[in-house]
Amino acid sequence: MQPSIYSAAAKGIGSVGGCAGIPKLRELKSRKILEVSGTQKNLCMSGRSSSSCFGLRFDSVSMGIELGRVRTVLRPSRSVYAQASTGGDIEDIEPAKIQRKSSGTVFPYVGVACLGATLFGYHLGVVNGALEYLAADLGIAENTVLQGWVVSTLLAGATVGSFTGGALADKFGRTKTFILDAIPLAIGAFLCTTAQNVQTMIVGRLLAGIGIGISSAIVPLYISEISPTEIRGTLGSVNQLFICIGILAALVAGLPLAGNPLWWRSMFGIALIPSVLLALGMAFSPESPRWLFQQGKIAEAEISIKKLFGKERVIEVMDDLKAAARGSSEPEAGWFDLFSSRYWKVVSVGAALFLFQQLAGINAVVYYSTSVFRSAGIQSDVAASALVGASNVLGTTVASSLMDKQGRKSLLLTSFAGMATSMLLLSLSFTWNVLAPYSGTLAVIGTVLYVLSFSLGAGPVPALLLPEIFASRIRAKAVALSLGMHWISNFVIGLYFLSFVTKYGIGKVYLGFASVCLLAVLYITGNVVETKGRSLEEIERALNPAV
């Protein structure tokens, strides 16, 4: 699920779901998590969108004209399929549909789903301020090993949850999986709130981790499947924005700790509220019409489409679903199908994007941001956290507004190029003696530019792009696999990062990160798909002509 993102460490967090972490790492290693999904075959599809980010603008077309043009909708779709089947240049294919005004609305349901993203960020960030106080209260103030378990158990649970989320979503549907997900989220928060010993706290963190792991898989999956094509990019990146908001909310929730050491219990208890709201909201949210169609529940799929997109688009969307399924009676894919020659290229692109994201250095920047800011005269950890957090939210907001205009691929290229430049600046500020008088200022500028660049593309795009390019029969499992591999690679990188810094020095490590970012630019140029302006069915037919 993912999908960039944050992982908590002792008094600090890394990056998760496209958000740069809040810097307050001291004793434990920072780790990074990223909600993401798999990828598909190499091709680019350029197109237009008739709406923009938060200032949504739809073409005004009457219902009569809408229904009168249903036949024209199918013809371009078939031409896309034909061109893909005959080996045409898919990069030159124009978007098949003209997007039209819809009387339905997806915004309330996207908002409900984003409660899962908010909890994702909140549970990752809440330990940042609470660890010192809960350690004193539970009698582990001198035991850094047990404190490390309190922090890292969440990551172990998230790994299990991310692998589980896809299977649950395929079996029970997206909305029921959300409701099931609320159970470990709520129980985990309750156990952490009421814990009288470290064992209970660890169990609570494990359950909360399972919950956020499932959320990381199904939030981007559900949003991508219920969003209209013309604003799917914007809504998909909102998921990442809410992860950032969740982390910042955890930071704000910790402000009363200085005056009330027992406030840490209330900090964990706050997470109960969105957990309950998530379950209640999903009980009234429509199921993904794509999942319903795959299950043969045609009437229910039509009802869901009417609720999400409006009755005037039922025929259009159903025709799209039928065209995507035409000629294919294949069952849902098993886990081993993901590694078949048919799908491996797609899955490998997803894995590569997450690997580049992990190796690009977001955790290193966050880890050293506090000391960087202090060298520039910014002594307040809260101010440093606020600056990093504000840069992150700003970059994610800008990315949301550009996702359906500039496209996913161009944002990724711009993001990694900016990160490479920022990393080079950071490396030089630490190693060039001639820059020593300005090193603090240059390091702060490099840090802020890096976080902005990361949140512009490398953070939010993978979690949006990968569900788009996976075929429907592998989408849920492929998203889950990609996120699971992300959590594992996050753990391994976090384990060895400090050893590399000790051996080679931070300047050389930053230079290595810059090189990784440049390699990412080359890889993305040749392998990543542009999906803006395309329905999921169009993308699937183009990338999987055999389906």
Side-chain angles (χ1 to χ4, degrees), residues 369-545:
S369 58
T370 300
S371 60
V372 164
F373 292 140
R374 284 177 179 171
S375 69
I378 302 175
Q379 299 299 319
S380 170
D381 289 352
V382 174
S385 298
L387 184 57
V388 171
S391 301
N392 203 14
V393 172
L394 175 61
T396 305
T397 303
V398 172
S400 297
S401 66
L402 296 177
M403 203 70 70
D404 290 307
K405 293 179 180 179
Q406 301 300 319
R408 288 61 152 158
K409 184 174 182 177
S410 63
L411 286 178
L412 276 176
L413 291 172
T414 302
S415 176
F416 276 104
M419 291 159 65
T421 303
S422 303
M423 272 297 182
L424 183 60
L425 180 61
L426 283 167
S427 178
L428 294 177
S429 69
F430 282 113
T431 56
W432 271 25
N433 292 331
V434 68
L435 296 177
Y438 317 102
S439 61
T441 302
L442 290 175
V444 169
I445 293 173
T447 298
V448 172
L449 287 178
Y450 181 91
V451 173
L452 281 170
S453 298
F454 180 84
S455 58
L456 186 64
V461 170
L464 166 65
L465 178 67
L466 303 188
E468 291 181 327
I469 61 178
F470 279 134
S472 57
R473 70 185 294 263
I474 69 165
R475 186 173 292 136
K477 287 186 176 66
V479 169
L481 176 66
S482 299
L483 285 166
M485 295 306 296
H486 160 78
W487 288 93
I488 293 173
S489 63
N490 169 48
F491 175 79
V492 173
I493 293 170
L495 188 64
Y496 291 105
F497 167 69
L498 290 181
S499 299
F500 274 88
V501 172
T502 302
K503 185 174 183 178
Y504 299 106
I506 189 62
K508 290 183 179 178
V509 171
Y510 276 5
L511 191 60
F513 289 146
S515 301
V516 170
C517 292
L518 291 176
L519 287 175
V521 170
L522 296 176
Y523 180 86
I524 291 165
T525 300
N527 295 278
V528 172
V529 183
E530 182 54 75
T531 57
K532 71 169 183 176
R534 307 282 176 181
S535 73
L536 296 181
E537 288 68 39
E538 287 174 333
I539 297 168
E540 180 171 345
R541 287 195 298 272
L543 291 172
N544 297 273

